[in-house]
Amino acid sequence: MNLKELEDQVRALIAQGRKVEAVKRVRETTGWGLKQSKDYVDALSEVVQEVGRNDPCPCGSGRKYKHCCGRKR
Ligand SMILES: [Zn+2]
């Protein structure tokens, strides 16, 4: 798996509020330490949190965030 694919998966997990799983996925994929993996996820989650409700969803589904992972439950 390349880093771009990993990034997409991590973004999707973050968008779903599954940050712990995202860190785990980074560690398994890259072999990085916990600190580096956490920093990577944190950096990506800052980007994800800037997503507006009418912007494309960060999980890569192609739908608007408000109709996808940002939908109110
Ligand atoms: Zn989504």
Side-chain angles (χ1 to χ4, degrees), residues 13-14 17-27 34 41:
L13 286 170
I14 293 168
R18 295 154 72 191
K19 254 175 112 167
V20 176
E21 277 176 65
V23 173
K24 238 168 126 182
R25 180 72 55 87
V26 173
R27 294 192 72 185
L34 181 60
V41 171

Side-chain angles (χ1 to χ4, degrees), residues 38-57:
K38 263 186 165 169
D39 287 348
Y40 180 78
V41 171
D42 281 343
L44 277 181
S45 61
E46 273 172 33
V47 177
V48 171
Q49 275 158 18
E50 284 167 15
V51 174
R53 299 194 42 77
N54 286 306
D55 291 338
C57 188

